[in-house]
Amino acid sequence: MSQNAQARALAIGATAALLTVGGIYFGSGQLEHFDPALFWYAIASVLAAFAVGYRFTLWASRPPSRMYFKRALQMLLRSGPKYAAAKAPSAEVEIAKSAAVNFGAQNFIRKRSYFRWIMHLCLSGGCTLAFAVTFPLVFGWIHFGTPLDDAETYQVIAFGITVDTFSIHSVKAFLAFNALNIAAVFVLIGLVMAGYRRLTDAGERAVQTFYEDILPLILIAAVTVTGIALTISYKFFDGLYHGSMVWIHLITVVALIFYIPFGKLFHMFQRSCALAVTAYKKKGGAEAQAKCLVTGEDYAPQRHVDDLKIVLDQLGFNYRYTTEDGQEVHYQDISPKGRRRLIALNQGKALKR
């Protein structure tokens, strides 16, 4: 890993942390609406922002990832290498469609297994809802107030602006005050399904590791269970052990936040590359196709073949060779069908047939 890549990753990580601090400071009205009781959650979020920025930059700097992001950006900006072709699909449309189908609906998992699809929907949907509620509250971006003359009406104030008002006896109030509990129910369903699959699927048991597959489930379960325990404590047991449970919940949340940049859950950020891949494939499919040097048939978009050559060179792989007539050929200019034909021909020569 080059020093330039390390320095760039450190700079972007520091920038992400500073932006998080700035977001907390200015989003909470210069800390006017920041709850000091949530201080350690905020500190953990700032450190995690640095770690995510640092690791994502290093990962995105790898030749394959960098190529996908580079081409996606060029497609959005209508720049980069041009290939003769019919009108290609809009990159914006393809990225938005991929975000809805693969990120939101997780359709790529549904094609593999309905059980895994429902499991992932519960886990990703519940966690996303929990994050969407927790972080704005922790950062002080959203808080609740009441009019001076009506204690039974709540105002939702975001960044100092009242965006909604509802009665504390309304369905909206019930959903707002129990959003985290609702998210926890979905997460628990997903956890039970994930645990069952890890225990009964022989294929999963054969390749799973504790750090990558079991630990994230334990951390998510710990956060979910302790969060529900807080609600049960103050609603049904007059706050019994509530103070101790607050600290236990804090520890589990901080542990999960710190795990995200360094464990399997980091894939939630890596999935952003899938958006670039979708646009890249659609673009290439509508452009000029490469012809195999052996069969003479189209076998892949010319853009993809050219980019693969660049990435292989950057990775230090030399797939060029010189033919008997002195012509330099790149192995990627030969289709899989052409390669199989060459193997058969060379085997025939070796056997003198």
Side-chain angles (χ1 to χ4, degrees):
M1 187 184 302
S2 68
Q3 290 184 342
N4 287 338
Q6 283 275 16
R8 183 167 58 250
L10 287 170
I12 291 180
T15 300
L18 288 173
L19 287 174
T20 304
V21 172
I24 293 173
Y25 180 77
F26 292 105
S28 62
Q30 300 179 350
L31 302 182
E32 180 181 354
H33 303 297
F34 178 78
D35 186 351
L38 303 176
F39 173 78
W40 292 112
Y41 291 99
I43 290 295
S45 300
V46 172
L47 294 176
F50 171 83
V52 168
Y54 176 82
R55 187 183 174 193
F56 185 86
T57 303
L58 290 181
W59 171 76
S61 298
R62 298 189 309 173
S65 306
R66 183 170 66 243
M67 180 61 76
Y68 278 127
F69 284 120
K70 177 182 177 181
R71 290 292 183 245
L73 182 61
Q74 289 174 340
M75 292 173 199
L76 290 172
L77 298 178
R78 307 295 190 272
S79 62
K82 303 293 190 297
Y83 290 80
K87 184 178 180 182
S90 166
E92 295 89 343
V93 171
E94 292 304 325
I95 289 175
K97 187 187 302 182
S98 178
V101 173
N102 292 326
F103 268 55
Q106 308 244 335
N107 201 46
F108 68 100
I109 297 177
R110 181 183 60 81
K111 296 177 181 178
R112 303 174 190 172
S113 163
Y114 277 97
F115 184 90
R116 290 181 63 186
W117 180 53
I118 295 172
M119 178 189 77
H120 276 85
L121 281 178
C122 289
L123 287 172
S124 64
C127 289
T128 299
L129 175 59
F131 289 157
V133 173
T134 300
F135 285 110
L137 290 174
V138 168
F139 294 166
W141 295 349
I142 294 177
H143 66 280
F144 297 95
T146 56
L148 295 176
D149 58 345
D150 187 1
E152 295 193 345
T153 297
Y154 260 51
Q155 298 171 323
V156 182
I157 304 170
F159 301 103
I161 301 173
T162 300
V163 296
D164 196 11
T165 301
F166 55 82
S167 168
I168 62 173
H169 305 294
S170 65
V171 174
K172 186 183 291 185
F174 175 82
L175 294 175
F177 298 150
N178 289 281
L180 289 176
N181 294 323
I182 294 170
V185 171
F186 282 107
V187 171
L188 283 177
I189 293 172
L191 286 171
V192 170
M193 296 178 71
Y196 174 81
R197 182 167 173 267
R198 293 285 172 194
L199 290 172
T200 60
D201 191 310
E204 287 297 320
R205 293 204 311 271
V207 298
Q208 70 186 8
T209 64
F210 177 79
Y211 182 76
E212 286 292 323
D213 301 295
I214 306 302
L215 182 58
L217 296 180
I218 293 175
L219 291 174
I220 294 173
V223 171
T224 305
V225 170
T226 55
I228 292 176
L230 286 172
T231 301
I232 294 174
S233 172
Y234 74 76
K235 277 196 172 183
F236 301 105
F237 296 100
D238 296 324
L240 182 66
Y241 300 120
H242 191 273
S244 300
M245 192 57 64
V246 165
W247 284 102
I248 296 173
H249 184 63
L250 168 63
I251 292 170
T252 62
V253 171
V254 170
L256 177 62
I257 290 175
F258 283 161
Y259 175 84
I260 289 174
F262 304 106
K264 185 176 182 177
L265 297 179
F266 186 71
H267 76 272
M268 70 177 75
F269 300 101
Q270 291 174 314
R271 286 296 302 168
S272 61
C273 191
L275 302 179
V277 171
T278 298
Y280 182 82
K281 286 182 176 179
K282 291 288 186 179
K283 185 82 170 178
E287 293 178 332
Q289 302 295 297
K291 291 186 179 296
C292 175
L293 295 179
V294 175
T295 66
E297 300 173 349
D298 293 346
Y299 67 98
Q302 187 64 54
R303 176 188 294 271
H304 297 182
V305 175
D306 292 343
D307 286 345
L308 182 55
K309 294 177 185 178
I310 295 172
V311 170
L312 288 172
D313 288 342
Q314 292 172 340
L315 291 172
F317 295 106
N318 184 7
Y319 282 87
R320 293 174 176 82
Y321 64 94
T322 303
T323 61
E324 294 178 352
D325 59 1
Q327 180 183 2
E328 184 179 89
V329 176
H330 199 291
Y331 194 56
Q332 296 304 323
D333 288 323
I334 302 173
S335 68
K337 180 179 179 180
R339 295 172 192 176
R340 291 192 294 271
R341 182 177 296 183
L342 286 178
I343 291 174
L345 290 173
N346 284 316
Q347 285 177 336
K349 288 182 180 179
L351 297 173
K352 297 181 180 181
R353 292 182 180 178

